[in-house]
Amino acid sequence: MGFLDSLIVSAFAHSATTASSAVEPPSLDPATYQEPTEALYWGGSADAQLPLAGERVVAANLTVEGFDRRVLDGRVFVIEDFGQTWPMANWDCDFFKTDPDFKKAEIMQQYAKSRKSGFVGFQSDWTDAKTASGAQDKEAPQLAPFYWGIKDVQYDDAMRSNTWKSAMLKKVAKNIKLPSYIDSRNDREFRRTPEFWFAGSGAGAMAHMDTHTMTTISIQLAGTKRWRLGYMEARQAPFLAMVYNDGQVYKSG
């Protein structure tokens, strides 16, 4: 839909400045569609080799139109200096352990081999925990990370700790700054849906595909994070949850 919208807008703009020339409407015939190769689309060139490197940009080179185009195209890209001007730019594990408000909260361990998602306090020794993930891939994270889904205080049916308070969500929201290259209409959603992941060396999420239709922005506050991206293989059913749930791709090969 975004692709057609951009063509229509371009056509209207062109006809307004060159009224004497006819503008051909975009074709809706599937036979005329041109699908780029995966190497060209994801890797930037027809001869790109795996592993494909995602596009890396800096904030100064982004516009609202350029950001939206990348999102509508479904591209994965890295903004190298995304949060450097944010009030939360210096938040790290020690900050959450000592902040007068956040230190009262609990976080949940995720992706553990035992499948148990127990809660532990920010002030506990969770940073020393080394719980096996059970991931059946030697390149996958072998240790389980921790999750603080503070956004879930808004939902009565969400799995959350009683220590998660609306005041904590408001505090996080106050420290979020919508970049100039993101449409201002996204501001409310941007501030009301934050979640935090905490992982030591060797810990992280298993490979998966979320089924919610929401663009995700992952912001690295401290440390480093490695992403592994893969293609969706051909499947015989339209659903994704059972085929691409947590770690399933390790089992299916």
Side-chain angles (χ1 to χ4, degrees), residues 88-243:
M88 66 170 67
N90 295 321
W91 290 11
D92 56 14
C93 294
D94 289 336
F95 171 83
F96 285 92
K97 282 186 169 187
T98 59
D99 179 81
D101 300 308
F102 296 156
K103 70 179 183 180
K104 303 173 184 177
E106 296 177 329
I107 52 179
M108 183 192 324
Q109 190 165 57
Q110 297 279 55
Y111 296 101
K113 183 178 181 180
S114 63
R115 296 297 181 184
K116 294 180 180 179
S117 300
F119 288 97
V120 296
F122 267 128
Q123 290 186 290
S124 69
D125 60 353
W126 59 274
T127 52
D128 297 323
K130 295 186 182 300
T131 305
S133 67
Q136 298 178 24
D137 183 328
K138 64 180 182 180
E139 297 295 328
Q142 296 299 307
L143 299 177
F146 288 89
Y147 171 73
W148 188 39
I150 188 58
K151 65 180 181 181
D152 288 337
V153 298
Q154 304 167 96
Y155 313 112
D156 293 335
D157 60 346
M159 183 178 179
R160 66 180 190 271
S161 167
N162 290 331
T163 63
W164 298 0
K165 306 299 181 182
S166 296
M168 296 176 180
L169 175 59
K170 291 179 180 178
K171 183 171 182 176
V172 172
K174 287 181 179 179
N175 284 275
I176 291 176
K177 178 181 178 182
L178 191 72
S180 61
Y181 47 81
I182 296 182
D183 193 300
S184 60
R185 290 173 294 182
N186 292 299
D187 187 68
R188 179 175 179 274
E189 193 70 13
F190 205 70
R191 296 176 187 275
R192 65 182 293 270
T193 59
E195 58 184 41
F196 293 82
W197 287 88
F198 303 87
S201 178
M206 294 187 189
H208 66 280
M209 176 179 290
D210 292 324
T211 55
H212 56 69
T213 55
M214 180 183 291
T215 297
T216 298
I217 297 176
S218 176
I219 304 161
Q220 193 72 19
L221 294 177
T224 59
K225 185 174 184 176
R226 178 190 179 198
W227 290 83
R228 289 204 302 165
L229 306 179
Y231 297 135
M232 284 179 57
E233 297 181 357
R235 62 190 193 280
Q236 301 300 317
F239 55 80
L240 299 174
M242 294 179 65
V243 180

Side-chain angles (χ1 to χ4, degrees), residues 22-39:
V23 177
E24 290 292 331
S27 172
L28 300 181
D29 180 5
T32 66
Y33 297 168
Q34 295 183 359
E35 185 75 10
T37 64
E38 291 174 329

